[in-house]
Amino acid sequence: MEANEDCTQDSTVDFRGRPALASKTGKWKACAFLVGYEAFERMAFYGIASNLVNYLTTQLHEDTVASVRNVNNWSGSVWITPIFGAYIADSYMGRFWTFTVASLIYVMGMILLTLAVSLKKMKPTCSNGICNKASTLQITFFYLALYTIAIGAGGTKPNISTFGADQFDDLDPHEKKLKASFFNWWMFSSFLGALIATLGLVYIQENLGWGLGYGIPTVGLLLSLFIFYIGTPIYRHKVNKIRSPARDFIRVLLAAFRNRKLQLPNNPSDLHEFELQYYINSGKRKVYHTPVLRFLDKAAIKEVGIGASRTPCSATQVEGAKLVFGMGLIWLVTLVPSTIWAQINTLFVKQGTTLDRHLGHAFQIPAASLGSFVTLSMLLSVPMYDRLFVPFVRQRTGNARGITLLQRLGIGFIIQVVAIAIAYAVEVRRMHIIKSHHIAGPKEIVPMSIFWLLPQYALIGIADVFNAIGLLEFFYDQSPDDMQSLGTTFFTSGIGVGNFLNSFLVTLVDKITGRNERKSWIGNNLNDCHLDYYYGFLLVISTLNIGVFLWASCRYVYKREAIVVKEGSNCAEMEGKAVLDTSLGLQV
């Protein structure tokens, strides 16, 4: 039995289904195979997303509103489909196999998309400077490829990051400390892939060909998958304890409604809870009672009497349902910030195409390349946040994270409001120059450097260090034990709904402001519309959203878990607080 002393404490297994050995599996030596895939996948995604609005307008000849709407709808789908991928992983196939199948679908979509932009038959023809609109077949094939990628992303996005987090044992203090740095480095690799896409691929697409610009990330994605599977022998896998993790959530709601007329006990300890041995055998963690949403506690009332045939829900199961509701409230207030983020690949790019993009006499910057400054500011800010900000604040707050997760989100949202305020001011200046130079044509270049847009891109990148990484960690950390893949989809679905919301707002604003032949705020001719009004509108709703976020965060109660361990033949219960050390250590 001595060999079992080296097994992980969280009941993970290796790829053969045997208990995973702590010394030979997991930790950063396993994650090294995963972060490479994330970098290439982000390179592929941003290689498409950052310049898609330009492809739709210049190659498929869609109008501005339609192209913005289609980009947002596709991006929204990419971020929404992980809900289904996470459910399949948590309930049936597990993270590894769900990712495996989905990654093949993703690559298939990339191959189809590369063919769509490469084959002459799949693109509209032009003659004497006049281009035909894309045919039904060309449009269908192009969007079929795009949405094949969206389906594949549904299985890869929620599972690759949580599969990486599974490589660290939460019950081992050393590995739990290492896990705290995982999400930072995970996002760092993501930023790196995005940087390559916005700096290199966008230029290749516009100057050397769209087929080459999409073909490079396709090959890279295939290579990264090969590297990923090389690491299979050292991966750890979490075993699904229940077939449908969402069943507990539904059961709590039904039981609380059924017991709605019963009186709650004065002492929460009188609610039904499993014995400590149950948590030892199952590898799950007990969650302490919280005073919020007390009506759900009725699901754990111990029924007495002759007719008491139903087993009540446990207090931990009830707390899991409370966590889902709490995360749902925080999720709602992330939608407006996600709408602001959606401008990066849509209106910011179209705005940039109207400005002077020359760097010297010969070189012209692709408008979408300015998105690289979002990534650059993130790449620079992550180490500064981890090495300087967190240690400095930690000394004053005593919090291992420096600040709480919700405080981190709040700071990011405020920086985002400043970014959209600057975007509004820059657009006001652009409109002033247009009027003073009597510019009216849609293809006329405004004598104003594209680098005026740089501050808004950089600030959004800095904001993402706080809110993007913070949201990913928040939803993973606060999810019920059996729903961490689904919990991560709170993060992805928020971005997806934010894209859909922006699509809806752009369409609605265009229809309302363009009535009766009036000048639309968002028209095909950005030199003759009122994009500044739209940015002002976004500034107002994002400012109001900060107030709603403060209200929601003041009412949120963090998860408090109990770690149950064996001491000889006895059971011991220790409180495990949801506080992690966020140093960027890469020890294995």
Side-chain angles (χ1 to χ4, degrees):
M1 298 298 289
E2 292 182 2
N4 291 332
E5 293 180 3
D6 189 38
C7 292
T8 56
Q9 300 177 44
D10 60 355
S11 303
T12 50
V13 298
D14 63 17
F15 75 108
R16 296 183 184 276
R18 301 172 301 192
L21 300 179
S23 61
K24 296 183 178 180
T25 63
K27 300 186 286 296
W28 275 108
K29 61 188 174 186
C31 289
F33 293 97
L34 279 64
V35 294
Y37 170 84
E38 179 65 8
F40 277 107
E41 190 278 328
R42 290 291 81 190
M43 184 176 73
F45 173 75
Y46 283 105
I48 300 169
S50 59
N51 216 15
L52 182 58
V53 70
N54 277 340
Y55 185 86
L56 295 179
T57 53
T58 63
Q59 303 298 311
L60 296 185
H61 311 297
E62 294 183 357
D63 60 50
T64 299
V65 172
S67 63
V68 169
R69 181 172 60 244
N70 288 330
V71 170
N72 286 149
N73 288 342
W74 175 72
S75 296
S77 299
V78 168
W79 293 103
I80 283 289
T81 51
I83 294 175
F84 305 103
Y87 180 78
I88 292 171
D90 280 345
S91 302
Y92 301 102
M93 295 174 63
R95 289 166 192 152
F96 179 84
W97 288 110
T98 303
F99 169 81
T100 296
V101 174
S103 63
L104 296 177
I105 297 174
Y106 197 120
V107 170
M108 184 188 301
M110 287 296 300
I111 293 172
L112 291 175
L113 188 64
T114 303
L115 292 175
V117 301
S118 301
L119 299 177
K120 289 184 177 181
K121 291 183 179 181
M122 292 295 108
K123 296 185 291 183
T125 57
C126 297
S127 178
N128 298 323
I130 300 175
C131 296
N132 298 318
K133 284 192 173 183
S135 67
T136 302
L137 174 62
Q138 291 166 344
I139 292 174
T140 301
F141 190 80
F142 183 80
Y143 281 105
L144 173 66
L146 277 182
Y147 282 92
T148 299
I149 292 172
I151 294 171
T156 59
K157 280 184 182 297
N159 293 306
I160 188 66
S161 59
T162 47
F163 185 67
D166 290 345
Q167 305 309 307
F168 302 92
D169 187 348
D170 270 341
L171 303 184
D172 183 300
H174 174 65
E175 289 196 24
K176 187 172 183 178
K177 182 177 179 180
L178 295 179
K179 183 177 180 178
S181 68
F182 169 74
F183 286 109
N184 285 326
W185 282 105
W186 182 259
M187 294 300 285
F188 188 89
S189 67
S190 175
F191 303 157
L192 192 61
L195 179 64
I196 295 171
T198 51
L199 278 180
L201 293 182
V202 166
Y203 180 83
I204 291 172
Q205 289 164 3
E206 293 193 10
N207 294 276
L208 300 179
W210 292 89
L212 182 62
Y214 286 164
I216 291 173
T218 301
V219 174
L221 205 58
L222 285 167
L223 177 63
S224 67
L225 282 175
F226 176 74
I227 295 172
F228 171 82
Y229 291 115
I230 290 177
T232 299
I234 62 173
Y235 294 149
R236 297 175 185 175
H237 304 261
K238 280 193 174 181
V239 180
N240 289 346
K241 300 295 182 179
I242 55 178
R243 187 167 180 79
S244 178
R247 188 176 299 169
D248 277 352
F249 175 75
I250 297 172
R251 183 172 172 236
V252 167
L253 297 183
L254 294 175
F257 178 77
R258 185 175 61 246
N259 297 343
R260 64 189 181 279
K261 295 183 180 180
L262 299 180
Q263 186 70 31
L264 280 170
N266 294 326
N267 192 337
S269 62
D270 292 330
L271 296 172
H272 173 66
E273 183 56 281
F274 295 122
E275 298 293 332
L276 294 181
Q277 189 64 42
Y278 167 82
Y279 292 101
I280 291 176
N281 295 338
S282 65
K284 296 181 181 179
R285 279 164 282 186
K286 176 181 175 182
V287 181
Y288 284 108
H289 178 268
T290 57
V292 297
L293 300 174
R294 292 209 65 202
F295 68 91
L296 291 177
D297 288 343
K298 292 189 175 184
I301 293 177
K302 298 176 182 177
E303 298 182 41
V304 295
I306 299 175
S309 58
R310 293 189 181 96
T311 302
C313 298
S314 69
T316 291
Q317 290 172 328
V318 170
E319 290 305 313
K322 290 181 182 180
L323 286 170
V324 173
F325 276 110
M327 290 190 300
L329 182 61
I330 299 301
W331 178 85
L332 286 173
V333 295
T334 67
L335 299 184
V336 172
S338 293
T339 301
I340 304 300
W341 186 85
Q343 310 310 313
I344 296 172
N345 296 327
T346 53
L347 291 178
F348 282 8
V349 176
K350 293 301 295 180
Q351 189 182 17
T353 59
T354 68
L355 301 178
D356 180 9
R357 295 181 282 135
H358 283 92
L359 192 63
H361 294 290
F363 185 76
Q364 184 168 270
I365 303 170
S369 286
L370 222 59
S372 63
F373 287 97
V374 175
T375 309
L376 279 171
S377 61
M378 295 170 88
L379 287 170
L380 293 173
S381 299
V382 166
M384 291 175 64
Y385 177 87
D386 230 63
R387 294 296 191 185
L388 300 177
F389 179 81
V390 170
F392 176 78
V393 178
R394 182 189 293 148
Q395 293 177 351
R396 287 153 180 77
T397 63
N399 189 319
R401 285 190 173 101
I403 53 178
T404 67
L405 289 171
L406 290 178
Q407 287 171 343
R408 182 174 185 173
L409 299 184
I411 292 172
F413 294 160
I414 291 171
I415 296 173
Q416 228 179 29
V417 170
V418 175
I420 199 63
I422 291 176
Y424 167 75
V426 170
E427 180 60 17
V428 168
R429 174 180 171 81
R430 191 182 75 92
M431 296 303 296
H432 175 73
I433 293 175
I434 287 172
K435 289 180 181 179
S436 63
H437 286 77
H438 306 290
I439 295 172
K443 294 185 178 181
E444 289 187 67
I445 300 300
V446 181
M448 175 180 173
S449 173
I450 193 174
F451 289 107
W452 275 91
L453 303 181
L454 182 58
Q456 63 202 54
Y457 277 99
L459 280 174
I460 287 181
I462 295 171
D464 272 2
V465 172
F466 287 89
N467 55 29
I469 302 176
L471 278 171
L472 183 61
E473 185 176 359
F474 173 82
F475 287 128
Y476 180 88
D477 186 75
Q478 295 297 297
S479 296
D481 205 23
D482 291 311
M483 298 177 65
Q484 286 176 321
S485 287
L486 279 173
T488 305
T489 61
F490 272 97
F491 167 69
T492 60
S493 63
I495 298 175
V497 174
N499 276 274
F500 286 129
L501 180 60
N502 187 56
S503 175
F504 170 75
L505 289 176
V506 166
T507 304
L508 184 66
V509 166
D510 177 59
K511 287 185 177 181
I512 292 176
T513 60
R515 284 177 179 174
N516 302 321
E517 298 184 355
R518 289 180 298 180
K519 185 185 296 184
S520 172
W521 288 5
I522 310 169
N524 289 330
N525 183 2
L526 289 187
N527 291 333
D528 189 31
C529 64
H530 280 296
L531 191 58
D532 53 335
Y533 291 176
Y534 185 66
Y535 285 167
F537 169 68
L538 292 179
L539 176 60
V540 171
I541 62 173
S542 59
T543 302
L544 294 175
N545 188 70
I546 292 292
V548 179
F549 170 77
L550 291 174
W551 174 84
S553 59
C554 288
R555 283 156 178 75
Y556 186 82
V557 178
Y558 288 95
K559 177 172 67 174
R560 292 170 58 239
E561 294 179 326
I563 300 174
V564 185
V565 297
K566 284 185 177 180
E567 292 183 349
S569 59
N570 300 317
C571 299
E573 181 179 342
M574 302 182 297
E575 180 178 352
K577 296 182 180 180
V579 177
L580 303 175
D581 178 25
T582 54
S583 61
L584 280 175
L586 286 177
Q587 302 98 316
V588 293

